[in-house]
Amino acid sequence: MSVASKKIEEKYQKLLKDIQRRPENRTCSDCDSRGNQYVVLPLNIFVCTTCSGIHREMQHRIKGVNMSTFSTDEIKALEKGGNSVGKATWMARWNATDGTPPAEGEVEKLRKHIKDKYEHKRWYSDTPAAAPQ
């Protein structure tokens, strides 16, 4: 690897960490956990260990923030995405009568919630609500 390409990779890895540290990305996109060590690539969201396992069961591509190398395109997609954009899209029709999302330890409830959310598109809107800033 040349010095120039190493510098570009370091720049993008720093950008990935900065994206991960944004307030909306500090917690899991699918539960209340503060551990957001994984990225669900097709959705461009940050999730915890428990939820990453459920996404893997659904054949979603997962990468660990500290354990994987991300391409510049993946990092650019995350920069445009993130948990706020994911929530605005996948939870756009969520309301108080739907209750609260399951807690991190409630694996079976989480599995159902994640399948309802992404496979069945229960709360999805292709005209998402505005992502909170």
Side-chain angles (χ1 to χ4, degrees):
M1 183 180 285
S2 72
V3 173
S5 62
K6 184 138 178 82
K7 285 191 181 277
I8 290 170
E9 185 178 321
E10 287 172 2
K11 173 187 159 196
Y12 276 100
Q13 290 304 317
K14 182 187 180 311
L15 178 58
L16 174 63
K17 288 299 219 175
D18 291 345
I19 295 166
Q20 183 186 26
R21 286 187 199 104
R22 290 178 185 165
E24 68 271 18
N25 295 332
R26 287 186 182 162
T27 57
C28 177
S29 187
D30 293 319
C31 73
D32 60 357
S33 173
R34 292 203 40 88
N36 65 343
Q37 295 302 309
Y38 297 89
V39 172
V40 184
L41 286 174
L43 305 172
N44 297 314
I45 57 172
F46 290 87
V47 296
C48 68
T49 303
T50 302
C51 292
S52 75
I54 296 167
H55 280 280
R56 278 188 182 98
E57 290 172 10
M58 296 169 59
Q59 305 303 308
H60 290 160
R61 187 159 176 238
I62 308 295
K63 279 192 174 182
V65 173
N66 297 318
M67 300 172 271
S68 303
T69 302
F70 287 75
S71 71
T72 54
D73 287 343
E74 290 168 341
I75 294 171
K76 287 176 182 176
L78 272 170
E79 189 173 31
K80 291 178 185 167
N83 291 359
S84 287
V85 172
K87 184 175 184 175
T89 302
W90 294 98
M91 300 295 281
R93 296 184 298 136
W94 178 273
N95 65 52
T97 61
D98 292 313
T100 57
E104 180 185 13
E106 299 177 297
V107 179
E108 289 307 315
K109 287 181 181 178
L110 270 172
R111 185 173 286 112
K112 181 183 180 332
H113 174 75
I114 290 171
K115 284 186 179 211
D116 282 348
K117 187 174 179 179
Y118 301 108
E119 283 185 354
H120 305 178
K121 297 183 176 184
R122 181 171 173 191
W123 304 286
Y124 177 84
S125 174
D126 54 5
T127 53
Q133 298 297 321

